[in-house]
Amino acid sequence: MILLKNRIEREKIIVLSMIRMYCSSKHKSEEALCTGCASLWNYVKKRLDKCRFGQEKPVCKECIVHCYESAKREQIRLIMRWSGPRMVYRHPEYAIIHVMDKLTSPNK
Ligand SMILES: [Zn+2]
């Protein structure tokens, strides 16, 4: 159950589902992500694992440390902008959880 996982794990699940939605629609990928999206996902996963805030982590969008290199950040921003509104229909539970994580963001 997604609520039981920690913030980092939750963010991973949500980001992955956003990349999946984007990739299958824009890159016509089937089950697996296309090469480009797969390598972006690997990058994001690594960044999240190394996040210096750990469980105190704010949602990435509001984070003060921009740990993504700029090209990757631009890429993920595009994906989120596209997937964000669609996520409300596809995975309403993730959308709600993300809003909750935002509201309880330790950085506020
Ligand atoms: Zn793709």
Side-chain angles (χ1 to χ4, degrees), residues 23 27 34 37:
C23 190
H27 307 144
C34 73
C37 292

Side-chain angles (χ1 to χ4, degrees), residues 19 22-24 26-29 32-38 79:
I19 298 178
Y22 184 87
C23 190
S24 73
K26 297 270 178 176
H27 307 144
K28 309 287 169 223
S29 65
L33 296 171
C34 73
T35 330
C37 292
I79 291 175

Side-chain angles (χ1 to χ4, degrees), residues 8-25:
I8 302 269
E9 290 307 310
R10 275 205 299 273
E11 187 128 343
K12 274 189 201 161
I13 293 171
I14 291 169
V15 172
L16 178 59
S17 78
M18 283 179 150
I19 298 178
R20 273 213 185 108
M21 266 158 59
Y22 184 87
C23 190
S24 73
S25 161

Side-chain angles (χ1 to χ4, degrees), residues 43-88:
Y43 179 82
V44 170
K45 210 162 47 176
K46 263 186 223 140
R47 304 281 8 147
L48 280 169
D49 281 333
K50 286 194 183 142
C51 178
R52 62 178 236 200
F53 296 107
Q55 292 312 304
E56 300 292 290
K57 177 188 177 311
V59 292
C60 284
K61 210 173 144 194
E62 289 171 1
C63 194
I64 43 160
V65 176
H66 293 298
C67 67
Y68 289 18
E69 55 189 64
S70 59
K72 297 272 197 309
R73 190 157 77 222
E74 201 38 55
Q75 233 177 322
I76 202 82
R77 211 166 31 207
L78 258 177
I79 291 175
M80 291 194 162
R81 202 179 300 145
W82 186 91
S83 301
R86 287 164 179 83
M87 180 116 115
V88 179

